[in-house]
Amino acid sequence: MKYLAIMGSFRKNKNTNAALDAFIKGVEKSGDEVEKFYLRDMEIKDCIACGHCSRTGECFIDDDMQTLYKLLDTVDGFIFAAPTYFNSINALAKRVVDRSQRYWGIKYDYGRDKVSISEKRGMYIGVGGAPYHREQFIGSESVIDLFFKAVSANHIGNYVISNTDQVAVSDRPEAVSYTHLRAHETPEH
């Protein structure tokens, strides 16, 4: 099986990346292939709500999102990891979600009969610096849920880690091992 790993933090070797890497190790241990992308290294422009995707099934913006579209169209599953800012995903990750308007346009305007969107499974990893509180990830989880629906992903779960301003993910063996374990809980494993 082939997975896409999307790292949505600007900071490469910090908490979100550590959690995502633990998950990737679990997927790879199962014998599956993972291709990881750092959004900070990609040129992805904002959606301008032009409606081109609703008329043609394609986004006209020629940037690195075209690479992610191709992968999202063909992978068996993906892992989307992003830090939480003000109870939602950060702007870097949100840009990918907004550009996924292409999938909504295909489904509800252009026509599913013209372009096939393959079913896949998706998991969200959220990281928050603040101590845990009940609604800490509610905004992130709502955005991710709608994103997964747009790209035809069976949302297999969220794994969220709080209080990383005080205790780094790398200093929490239980978080790393649990994230690694979750990779084995995907429907195929």
Side-chain angles (χ1 to χ4, degrees):
M1 304 196 78
K2 184 173 180 176
Y3 286 85
L4 167 64
I6 300 172
M7 214 299 262
S9 176
F10 284 103
R11 301 183 331 161
K12 270 194 176 172
N13 295 307
K14 297 293 183 175
N15 293 305
T16 303
N17 196 51
L20 180 58
D21 281 348
F23 191 87
I24 289 171
K25 284 179 187 172
V27 171
E28 290 175 336
K29 188 174 182 179
S30 298
D32 294 326
E33 177 185 343
V34 180
E35 190 168 359
K36 181 178 179 182
F37 286 88
Y38 290 91
L39 295 181
R40 69 174 252 170
D41 295 337
M42 302 178 80
E43 180 189 351
I44 299 176
K45 298 176 182 159
D46 293 324
C47 176
I48 61 170
C50 66
H52 186 80
C53 57
S54 291
R55 293 188 303 278
T56 67
E58 297 296 331
C59 180
F60 83 93
I61 300 172
D62 187 19
D63 62 5
D64 291 332
M65 190 66 194
Q66 297 298 332
T67 299
L68 292 182
Y69 288 144
K70 287 178 184 138
L71 287 165
L72 284 169
D73 290 346
T74 59
V75 295
D76 299 301
F78 67 95
I79 308 101
F80 196 106
T84 298
Y85 294 178
F86 296 94
N87 289 27
S88 191
I89 59 174
N90 67 335
L92 183 62
K94 184 67 165 61
R95 188 174 293 139
V96 170
V97 172
D98 290 347
R99 287 289 297 284
S100 296
Q101 176 67 20
R102 169 188 177 251
Y103 294 99
W104 189 94
I106 289 169
K107 287 180 174 184
Y108 301 107
D109 285 331
Y110 183 66
R112 293 179 196 206
D113 57 329
K114 298 175 188 172
V115 177
S116 175
I117 301 173
S118 66
E119 294 288 324
K120 59 196 76 59
R121 60 189 148 278
M123 180 166 174
Y124 164 64
I125 298 173
V127 176
Y132 177 79
H133 59 89
R134 193 170 55 89
E135 295 181 350
Q136 182 173 10
F137 296 97
I138 196 165
S140 299
E141 291 173 342
S142 295
V143 169
I144 291 296
D145 183 56
L146 292 170
F147 168 63
F148 283 12
K149 287 175 182 172
V151 301
S152 296
N154 175 18
H155 192 163
I156 60 170
N158 301 324
Y159 181 54
V160 295
I161 306 169
S162 298
N163 202 29
T164 58
D165 286 348
Q166 298 300 314
V167 184
V169 169
S170 59
D171 295 335
R172 298 160 88 168
E174 77 288 351
V176 172
S177 63
Y178 181 78
T179 306
H180 179 85
L181 176 68
R182 285 300 308 251
H184 297 285
E185 294 176 2
T186 60
E188 301 295 317
H189 297 287

